[in-house]
């Protein structure tokens, strides 16, 4: 990460140092970390992304084989019957690179970064991907219809070509709000008061059919980190009022994500009892999902 980075520069920055220590685990049964020692390590591992074909995974990592606050994107992919050794993805730099997500066809990936040449603090970028070789191209800024002078976080591509993401640069209810942009739109649309609040609303993920949205919401300041997961479902084209999801094993839970092949399970990042590091990736059954 080049230069000083404020606590507000990225949601994941707030899991660092003293904030992580204060995001205490609550009294919940111990849950196994996802791929302990491989994906979940002593670093802070956030927002698992699995490709549509299930053959590659990406995730954000803070301080993994790097300075304690450096945010990178890591990957592993299928090799025969096994998996490659985790490594920083080819397009990663020493700038902030975080919150990866695959497009629904697997041919591109999205992430946010504060690399040089952007419109604001952290911008959303898109990079091509070859599903056969797992190779990535050169990232391209997603442009001024998405990126503002503020911070854009956690992009999630949609089946209709839209993009779901959070931003504090397009106005809204408070700090970061959740927005959707459509192809050809001049600016994104705020999801409104049934979803967004005066606090931080971010890290949204969608089920494979696009009808269930899970996201993180809460308070993130220099001395407090308290967020939990919420769910909304699309009914007749509109998102239902948010409801607490009831998943998570600490008072600071972020980075939810669905496996595109299995909507019955949700991954999230938290500092849980028995974890491997500052934040591990965990997976639990999604409430209300069919077994």
């Amino acid at each position: 990460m080049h230069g000083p980075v404020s606590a507000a520069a990225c949601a994941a920055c707030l899991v660092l140092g003293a904030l992580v220590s204060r995001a205490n685990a609550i009294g919940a049964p111990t849950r196994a970390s996802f791929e302990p020692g491989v994906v979940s390590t002593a670093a802070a591992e956030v927002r698992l992304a699995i490709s549509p074909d299930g053959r590659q995974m990406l995730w954000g990592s803070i301080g993994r084989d790097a300075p304690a606050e450096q945010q990178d994107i890591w990957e592993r992919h299928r090799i025969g019957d096994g998996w490659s050794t985790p490594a920083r993805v080819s397009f990663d730099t020493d700038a902030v690179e975080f919150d990866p997500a695959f497009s629904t066809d697997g041919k591109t990936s999205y992430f946010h970064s504060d690399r040089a040449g952007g419109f604001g603090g952290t911008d959303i970028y898109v990079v091509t991907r070859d599903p056969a070789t797992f190779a990535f191209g050169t990232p391209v800024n997603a442009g001024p219809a998405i990126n503002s002078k503020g911070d854009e976080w956690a992009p999630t591509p949609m089946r209709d070509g839209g993009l779901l993401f959070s931003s504090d640069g397009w106005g809204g209810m408070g700090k970061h709000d959740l927005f959707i942009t459509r192809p050809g739109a001049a600016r994104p649309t705020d999801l409104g008061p049934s979803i967004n609040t005066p606090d931080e609303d971010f890290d949204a993920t969608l089920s494979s059919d696009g009808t269930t949205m899970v996201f993180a919401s809460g308070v993130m300041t220099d001395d407090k980190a308290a967020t939990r997961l919420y769910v909304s479902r699309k009914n007749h084209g509109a998102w239902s009022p948010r409801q607490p999801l009831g998943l998570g094993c600490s008072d600071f839970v972020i980075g939810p994500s669905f496996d595109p092949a299995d909507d019955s399970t949700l991954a999230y990042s938290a500092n849980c009892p028995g974890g491997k590091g500052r934040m591990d990736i965990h997976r639990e059954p999604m409430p209300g999902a069919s077994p």
Side-chain angles (χ1 to χ4, degrees):
M1 186 180 301
H2 41 197
V5 176
S6 70
C10 175
C13 291
L14 296 164
V15 306
L16 301 171
L19 279 174
V20 171
S21 330
R22 287 194 284 270
N24 296 320
I26 61 177
T30 299
R31 291 160 172 82
S33 302
F34 176 70
E35 297 284 352
V38 179
V39 173
S40 294
T41 68
E45 318 287 2
V46 180
R47 205 185 193 215
L48 177 69
I50 298 175
S51 63
D53 61 10
R55 301 179 66 236
Q56 188 172 28
M57 60 181 72
L58 304 174
W59 67 97
S61 189
I62 306 173
R64 182 167 180 162
D65 296 341
E69 296 186 8
Q70 182 163 310
Q71 300 168 50
D72 297 307
I73 295 175
W74 283 63
E75 74 92 30
R76 62 197 301 238
H77 55 267
R78 290 296 253 173
I79 297 179
D81 294 332
W83 289 87
S84 65
T85 300
R88 286 172 65 175
V89 76
S90 61
F91 58 81
D92 191 85
T93 72
D94 288 340
V96 169
E97 256 94 43
F98 215 68
D99 281 344
F102 290 98
S103 61
T104 56
D105 64 6
K107 294 181 179 179
T108 56
S109 293
Y110 289 74
F111 64 99
H112 74 243
S113 175
D114 70 349
R115 58 178 59 198
F119 292 89
T122 52
D123 281 9
I124 290 171
Y125 287 78
V126 60
V127 59
T128 59
R129 169 185 179 261
D130 185 338
T133 65
F134 313 110
F136 291 95
T138 301
V140 175
N141 190 290
I146 293 173
N147 293 313
S148 69
K149 293 181 179 179
D151 290 320
E152 279 68 50
W153 295 343
T156 295
M158 304 171 70
R159 287 196 174 278
D160 64 2
L163 190 72
L164 171 64
F165 64 99
S166 61
S167 173
D168 65 359
W170 290 103
M173 298 293 297
K175 297 177 182 176
H176 278 80
D177 275 12
L178 290 171
F179 290 82
I180 287 177
T181 189
R182 304 290 182 185
R187 58 180 292 136
T189 300
D190 191 291
L191 289 184
S194 66
I195 300 297
N196 291 312
T197 70
D199 291 327
E200 302 281 6
D201 304 293
F202 62 103
D203 278 9
T205 187
L206 294 171
S207 60
S208 60
D209 63 4
T211 63
T212 299
M213 175 172 60
V214 177
F215 59 97
S217 180
V219 177
M220 297 191 301
T221 65
D222 287 343
D223 57 5
K224 183 177 181 181
T227 63
R228 59 177 172 170
L229 300 182
Y230 290 82
V231 62
S232 173
R233 292 183 169 85
K234 185 174 282 189
N235 297 312
H236 304 293
W239 291 104
S240 65
R242 59 190 252 161
Q243 297 291 328
L245 183 60
L247 286 187
C249 46
S250 78
D251 57 9
F252 185 57
V253 185
I254 61 175
S257 65
F258 283 104
D259 181 336
D262 180 14
D263 286 343
S264 68
T265 301
L266 188 80
Y268 61 85
S269 299
N271 183 2
C272 301
K276 296 291 291 184
R278 291 183 292 171
M279 293 194 90
D280 287 4
I281 294 172
H282 299 265
R283 297 179 79 181
E284 285 194 59
M286 178 70 182
S290 300

